[in-house]
Amino acid sequence: VQLQASGGGLVQAGGSLRLACAASGYNFRNYNMGWFRQAPGKGREFVASIRRSANGPNYADSVKDRFTISRDNAKSMVYLQMTSLKPEDTAVYYCAATTVVGSFYATQPDYYTTWGQGTLVTVSS
């Protein structure tokens, strides 16, 4: 079971980036997916999650209306479209997979069993 995140980079404040996460080695359709981030010196923070059927996306308040999570089950991919980026969005972004169901559990990193390696997003002011 592997997750490979990509798409990070350096962008100016107000800009956009699209992160992608490729899944392999398991039945992607059986897993709920999430994006988390970790800024230097801080803990891992929930960003967004999406259910197996692609409905019911869930967002952290800090990214709501700026970020959009989506998935393509046919391609075993999950995406995070980030717009209106702010310097405080700077972090390593991780995709993760879980079979646990529930809006609360979707926001908790401890309930995710598989993690990608992370991709760095740097937003300059």
Side-chain angles (χ1 to χ4, degrees), residues 108-125:
Q108 304 301 306
D110 288 347
Y111 289 95
Y112 286 77
T113 54
T114 304
W115 292 81
Q117 86 288 0
T119 185
L120 177 62
V121 172
T122 303
V123 184
S124 62
S125 56

Side-chain angles (χ1 to χ4, degrees), residues 75-94:
K75 296 181 178 179
S76 296
M77 297 288 295
V78 62
Y79 305 98
L80 186 69
Q81 179 68 50
M82 306 185 295
T83 64
S84 301
L85 282 161
K86 305 175 182 180
E88 51 262 45
D89 294 318
T90 295
V92 177
Y93 284 71
Y94 299 89

Side-chain angles (χ1 to χ4, degrees), residues 17 19 26 45 86 96 124:
L17 278 176
L19 304 184
Y26 69 102
E45 173 190 28
K86 305 175 182 180
S124 62

Side-chain angles (χ1 to χ4, degrees), residues 10-99:
L10 175 63
V11 63
Q12 288 189 333
S16 300
L17 278 176
R18 187 194 195 204
L19 304 184
C21 177
S24 61
Y26 69 102
N27 192 340
F28 181 73
R29 299 170 187 266
N30 290 341
Y31 286 76
N32 301 316
M33 299 297 295
W35 285 98
F36 292 78
R37 66 188 182 187
Q38 188 164 15
K42 296 188 177 181
R44 197 160 291 191
E45 173 190 28
F46 169 75
V47 175
S49 64
I50 189 166
R51 298 176 188 174
R52 290 171 287 186
S53 55
N55 60 6
N58 190 23
Y59 298 96
D61 288 342
S62 59
V63 307
K64 203 170 291 183
D65 299 326
R66 298 189 298 122
F67 290 10
T68 302
I69 188 171
S70 61
R71 65 188 293 164
D72 185 335
N73 285 342
K75 296 181 178 179
S76 296
M77 297 288 295
V78 62
Y79 305 98
L80 186 69
Q81 179 68 50
M82 306 185 295
T83 64
S84 301
L85 282 161
K86 305 175 182 180
E88 51 262 45
D89 294 318
T90 295
V92 177
Y93 284 71
Y94 299 89
C95 58
T98 181
T99 57

